[in-house]
Structures are given as structure tokens and as C-alpha cells.
Amino acid sequence: MNDYFYLRVLDRFQGLFEKQGICYKSLRQILQLKLTMDARRQTTMTTNRKKDSRSFFSKSLLTHGLMGFMLLIFIIPDIDLFFQMNVCLGIIIFMLMSSLIADFSSVLLDQKDKSVLLTKPIEPSVISLAKILHIIYYVGILLFIMSIAPLIGGTFKYGLIYGLLFIVTLVLGLLFVMFLTTLLYFLILKFFDGEKLKDIINYFQIVLTIVMIFGYQLMSRMYTIIDFDMVFEPKWWTYLIPSAWFASYFRIFVENQVSTSLVVLAMLGILVPITAIIVHVKYVMPYFEGYLNKMEQVGGVKKHSPIKERLNTMLQLLLCPSKEERTFFKFFIALMKHERKLKLRIIPQLVMALGFPFIFMINSGFDVSESSKAFMFIYFSFWMMSFLFTNFLYSENYKGAWVYKSLPIQDINAIRRALYKSAMSNYIVPVYVGLSVIFLFIYNFTIFGHLALMFLNLLIITMLLFRISINTHPFSMEMDIQKGDSKSFILGTLIIGIVAGIHWLSTIFSYGLYINIFMTLLITVALWIILFRKRKK
């Protein structure tokens, strides 16, 4: 087996590991074995994919490298250094956390190697630490590729101290993100078990993704513009943002500016990662592998409310006139409820769709007069929701797609109609109804006509994008090799821009809104007939 450079670096810390009661020899052998197996499989350790995933890690490196070059946009201009580093480090931490949740959680929670390793005299804490170091190896490569451009650019601009501080903050940031994620998983594993545990982990990943996305909306609010200069004004929540902790080093050591708030931020940047490591080594590592066994426990059967069952049956009869379509509708609803990875991809998008109109309204001064037309920000929600459909091509149980060929299907479009209706009733319409109710209250029910037009526009947008995105049987492709859908992205942006533009124009003329509603209703009906008409297999 190869003696990897990474292992030779870890050898320098052998004494530190052994002081913590870790058998370094076993740890090194497990890591060496894992890295060798990764190389022999020619796949990434992030998944167990084979042929289709050989280039996945290379693409991921390319994406992170391009992201790193984009970070130069914040480094090169002569703007506030604290702001530069806060944004730059915030994006890096966001990308790291996203990779950990999306690609490495399955590795952290994996139990396949336990059946082999626990038959040997190896402590569970060694197996747990080997997993973390294995993940750090790959995340560290991504971090290096993403950070190299801002590191070089910033060192040329601000000097060697900047470069050294940047490396220190990256290491602290990586350790903080890694050990915080493990600690949160540990707490979930401690208090839950069985199927409920898997659901809670799924919800936790969703909540973490949402918190990261909306948390960084706060970054711009740390500053006040005075005489065209950005002035840092710390608020209580500033101390909760990790990128602000690390950015304070640059204000203190590169710009030689010291204040109480900066010192507190800098102290948090050191103390929190170190505390996370100590808590992990002393309290998490010895028990983490034991708690993972809970994931294999089978939960009890869920009881369904009779009222809910009756309402579901009524909804199915209302939406799906044919028995064939109704059968697929029930099938897709069941899949949407049970596919955890699908929920992990879709729910953050829906929450963003629900929250972004209000973020834009707040950023634009929260003018709620009808003349401000701030309700048009709802079209940003449509933009977020319009890309959901591609997700319905993929499934964790994609091998079951043979069912489409074995069933005596009379109308092939019954499958598409059922999927469209189940996606709309399960995800998109509830979000739109929630937004409409809030906006109706904000505008004292004066924008009912606009909301009616927006709903018709939503139907047009989703029908067109659904037919563009769903080009094969639903849930028939492997979830782990999900590809981007640039065609839907470009066309979706174009279609939403056109319908929003026509909506805005119709508000200029008298009766323009009502004429627009009538014409849009006709187009909606025509599109439904054209796109979803009966078609024999």
C-alpha cells in the first residue's frame, strides 16, 4: 500500500494522538487501507458510485477552483478588509458545510466497515477518528483548491501576514465545521432511534442548509454606509457568525485596528474550534460508533388519521378522474414522503422560495403601498420553485423503475399528469398559498387580482418547465449521479422574466390586469390540453 503524504503529516502528531488514548498504529493502518481502496476503485469516497462517478471528484474540484477564482472579486477591489474577509470566508465555510452535509454525511454515518474492523482488537473511538480524518483528507483538498486564488491574491495585496492568517483561519474553520457537524449528529443519535432517527437526521440536514443560506443574508447588515464608506457596526448576532470571528484577525493584525468587539470575535474564533475538538475527543468519539447502531433499529408502524385518509381520498378523486392516473398519483405521493434525499434537495428550495420575497422587500425598504409593486417579488419564489421538477427523475430506489415496463399502461401521459399534480399539490401550491395569505394581509386584500394572475402564470411556468425537465420515467435514475439542468435554468429564467414583464405592463393600463387574467386563463387551458393530452403507450 502507498505511504501517502497525508499519513506522513499525521505521523508528526503521533504523540498527540497517543496522549488522548488513541492507538495510532491502528488508526494509521485503517486510514491507509481506506485511501488505498479509494484509489483502487478510482471513485470518490463521497459515494459508492462506480462507472458514472469516476469524474465526480474532478468536477467537484473544478467547481471549487472556479469558485475560488470568483472570490478574487472580493479580494482585489479596495473595500473594507473586514467586509472582504467576512464574505470570502463566509462563502468558503458555506461551501465546506454544504459538501459535508450533501456528500460526506453518508460516510460519517456509514457502518459497513464495522463488521470487519470490530472483529479485531480496535477501539470504536479509533474507527470514529479514522472516519473523520478520512473525510478531512478529501474536504481539505477541496478547501485547498477553493482557497488558493484568494490566498495568493490577498498575499500579493496585503503581504505575508495576510497569507499566514488566511491559512490559520482555513485550518480553524475546517476543524470547526467538521467537529461541529459531528457533535450535532452525535446529539441526534443520542436522543433518537430507529426510523425516527433517520427522519430527524434528514430534518436536521434540511434545517442546517436553510440556516446557512439565510444566515449569510445577515452579513451585509453588519455594515452601515456613511459618506459612501462601509462602517462595521457589531450587533448581538454578529458574535454568532463564524466568518466574522475569523475576519476579525485581519482587522487586528493586518490593519492594526483593535476594539473590544474585534477582540471578542477573535477570541471566539480560537476558543470555539478548540472547545469543539476537546468535546469531540472526550465525549463524542468514545460513544459515536455505539450510537450508530441505533440506525439499524426498525421503527414502529405509523398510524394514519382516518380524517386525513378521507381527505386524501377526496383530493385524489378531485384531481385525478381516471383510475390509472389516480394509481400513479398515490404512488408518487408515497415516494415523495419516503425519499429522504429527495426531501433534502427540495425542502430547502421551498423554504427559500417562501422567504426570499420578504428578504427582498426588507432590503428595498419594506414599502407595502400598492404603487411600489413589491408583491412582484413573488416571481422570485416562482424562479426558485420552477427547478424542482428535475429532482423527480431521481430516486434512491431507481432500480424499481422496471415497474413502468411491466404494467399494462394505456395512457403514457397519465404518468406525467399524475406526477405534475402530485408535485404541485404536495410542494408548490402549499408554498404559493402560504405566500398569498401573508401578502393579502400585508396589502389589506387589495392585490387579490394580482395574486390570481400570478397563480395562472405559475401554472404556465410549471407546465412548460415540467415538460422540459421530465424527459423520461420519473424516479428512474440514480440519485447520486444527479446532473445539473442548465436548459431548464435558462428557459425558466426567460419564461418567468416574460410573464413577470407582461404582468407589470398590464398594471400600467386600465383594465390591463383583467384582460391579462382572461388571456392567461385561455393560454393555461390550451397548454394543459396540448402538453398532457391522452397518449397511447
Side-chain angles (χ1 to χ4, degrees):
M1 290 189 287
N2 289 335
D3 190 20
Y4 292 90
F5 174 74
Y6 180 56
L7 297 174
R8 294 202 297 276
V9 172
L10 288 178
D11 289 342
R12 305 284 180 189
F13 301 94
Q14 181 174 353
L16 191 63
F17 286 118
E18 288 176 346
K19 274 186 185 174
Q20 300 300 323
I22 300 293
C23 177
Y24 182 72
K25 189 180 173 186
S26 301
L27 178 71
R28 196 183 197 282
Q29 284 179 337
I30 294 171
L31 263 177
Q32 192 173 22
L33 183 66
K34 283 176 180 284
L35 294 174
T36 304
M37 286 173 67
D38 292 339
R40 286 180 183 172
R41 281 203 300 262
Q42 294 184 5
T43 66
T44 71
M45 53 88 67
T46 56
T47 65
N48 291 322
R49 290 166 283 178
K50 295 181 180 176
K51 292 179 183 176
D52 293 324
S53 65
R54 288 185 179 181
S55 61
F56 178 81
F57 196 62
S58 302
K59 286 179 182 174
S60 187
L61 287 176
L62 182 63
T63 305
H64 283 74
L66 288 172
M67 180 63 74
F69 273 103
M70 289 176 68
L71 292 178
L72 285 174
I73 296 169
F74 300 103
I75 301 294
I76 292 172
D78 289 324
I79 53 176
D80 184 81
L81 179 60
F82 184 85
F83 175 78
Q84 285 179 334
M85 299 316 299
N86 195 12
V87 173
C88 188
L89 292 170
I91 291 170
I92 290 174
I93 291 174
F94 173 80
M95 293 290 288
L96 273 184
M97 205 80 178
S98 301
S99 291
L100 274 174
I101 294 168
D103 300 325
F104 294 94
S105 288
S106 57
V107 180
L108 191 65
L109 303 173
D110 184 51
Q111 302 179 74
K112 288 175 187 168
D113 51 1
K114 277 176 65 178
S115 56
V116 177
L117 294 174
L118 286 183
T119 57
K120 311 290 183 295
I122 300 172
E123 291 292 324
S125 58
V126 176
I127 299 173
S128 177
L129 186 58
K131 271 185 190 175
I132 290 173
L133 292 173
H134 191 201
I135 293 170
I136 285 177
Y137 173 75
Y138 285 97
V139 176
I141 293 173
L142 292 177
L143 181 62
F144 173 76
I145 294 295
M146 190 166 53
S147 309
I148 191 73
L151 174 64
I152 294 171
T155 305
F156 270 108
K157 185 175 178 184
Y158 296 107
L160 193 59
I161 294 177
Y162 170 95
L164 293 172
L165 282 175
F166 198 80
I167 292 168
V168 170
T169 53
L170 290 180
V171 173
L172 287 173
L174 175 59
L175 292 176
F176 167 72
V177 169
M178 187 69 235
F179 290 110
L180 179 69
T181 307
T182 314
L183 181 63
L184 292 172
Y185 275 126
F186 172 77
L187 292 175
I188 294 168
L189 289 166
K190 184 177 173 64
F191 293 108
F192 299 96
D193 54 21
E195 288 298 312
K196 196 173 181 182
L197 170 64
K198 294 174 185 172
D199 287 336
I200 292 290
I201 287 175
N202 194 228
Y203 296 142
F204 161 71
Q205 292 169 333
I206 290 166
V207 169
L208 205 56
T209 307
I210 293 165
V211 168
M212 282 191 301
I213 292 165
F214 285 105
Y216 286 101
Q217 298 296 322
L218 297 172
M219 283 197 297
S220 62
R221 299 188 170 274
M222 292 181 196
Y223 303 88
T224 303
I225 306 294
I226 299 175
D227 292 336
F228 300 101
D229 288 328
M230 300 182 79
V231 178
F232 171 58
E233 287 191 346
K235 315 278 191 316
W236 65 267
W237 42 261
T238 306
Y239 301 100
L240 302 176
I241 299 178
S243 58
W245 306 342
F246 302 125
S248 65
Y249 301 155
F250 297 87
R251 175 62 60 85
I252 294 172
F253 295 104
V254 177
E255 294 187 324
N256 295 318
Q257 294 183 29
V258 181
S259 66
T260 307
S261 56
L262 287 172
V263 171
V264 173
L265 287 170
M267 293 288 287
L268 285 171
I270 295 171
L271 290 176
V272 174
I274 291 174
T275 306
I277 294 168
I278 292 170
V279 170
H280 185 271
V281 171
K282 288 198 179 236
Y283 302 105
V284 176
M285 213 163 57
Y287 307 105
F288 191 80
E289 291 299 318
Y291 285 138
L292 277 181
N293 292 332
K294 289 183 173 184
M295 294 192 70
E296 293 178 348
Q297 296 173 12
V298 179
V301 179
K302 287 183 182 176
K303 292 181 181 177
H304 298 285
S305 158
I307 298 172
K308 195 176 175 184
E309 287 287 323
R310 211 170 295 144
L311 286 173
N312 284 337
T313 306
M314 285 171 64
L315 182 69
Q316 291 159 17
L317 289 169
L318 185 68
L319 292 178
C320 307
S322 76
K323 190 178 177 183
E324 192 175 44
E325 190 179 322
R326 205 155 49 241
T327 304
F328 279 110
F329 181 84
K330 286 195 284 188
F331 176 60
F332 293 140
I333 289 285
L335 279 176
M336 288 173 192
K337 284 182 180 173
H338 291 97
E339 291 267 347
R340 292 191 173 92
K341 286 187 179 178
L342 180 72
K343 286 193 276 189
L344 180 60
R345 292 178 189 277
I346 286 180
I347 292 178
Q349 277 181 274
L350 292 176
V351 175
M352 284 192 285
L354 199 57
F356 270 158
F358 304 106
I359 290 174
F360 287 124
M361 282 181 74
I362 292 167
N363 287 336
S364 62
F366 207 78
D367 181 1
V368 294
S369 61
E370 195 172 344
S371 59
S372 72
K373 296 185 178 55
F375 55 83
M376 297 285 281
F377 286 129
I378 292 178
Y379 280 104
F380 282 102
S381 294
F382 294 180
W383 187 75
M384 294 297 304
M385 291 191 288
S386 61
F387 308 117
L388 294 182
F389 295 117
T390 309
N391 292 295
F392 300 120
L393 291 174
Y394 303 91
S395 171
E396 295 166 69
N397 304 300
Y398 67 100
K399 290 180 181 174
W402 55 267
V403 72
Y404 295 115
K405 292 183 180 176
S406 64
L407 289 174
I409 300 168
Q410 300 297 320
D411 175 13
I412 193 69
N413 266 349
I415 299 174
R416 293 196 178 101
R417 287 196 301 272
L419 179 65
Y420 177 77
K421 289 173 183 175
S422 55
M424 291 295 286
S425 61
N426 212 34
Y427 294 119
I428 294 175
V429 172
V431 171
Y432 180 74
V433 170
L435 275 173
S436 300
V437 169
I438 297 169
F439 270 87
L440 277 175
F441 276 104
I442 290 174
Y443 282 89
N444 292 322
F445 296 87
T446 56
I447 58 164
F448 190 81
H450 291 283
L451 290 174
L453 175 59
M454 283 181 174
F455 182 69
L456 293 173
N457 280 334
L458 177 64
L459 293 178
I460 290 176
I461 293 162
T462 50
M463 278 194 285
L464 288 171
L465 290 176
F466 177 86
R467 287 311 306 266
I468 293 167
S469 304
I470 305 299
N471 48 18
T472 184
H473 289 310
F475 303 102
S476 61
M477 297 169 73
E478 189 178 356
M479 178 70 79
D480 289 337
I481 58 168
Q482 189 161 352
K483 299 171 184 173
D485 189 1
S486 55
K487 190 168 67 175
S488 296
F489 176 80
I490 295 167
L491 289 174
T493 307
L494 189 66
I495 294 166
I496 292 168
I498 291 170
V499 297
I502 295 171
H503 184 167
W504 183 81
L505 284 174
S506 69
T507 61
I508 298 173
F509 307 101
S510 302
Y511 304 106
L513 178 65
Y514 303 105
I515 295 168
N516 196 350
I517 291 174
F518 179 71
M519 295 303 295
T520 308
L521 181 62
L522 292 181
I523 294 170
T524 306
V525 174
L527 270 178
W528 176 260
I529 294 168
I530 294 167
L531 297 177
F532 294 100
R533 64 184 179 278
K534 283 188 178 180
R535 196 176 126 204
K536 288 186 179 179
K537 191 175 180 182

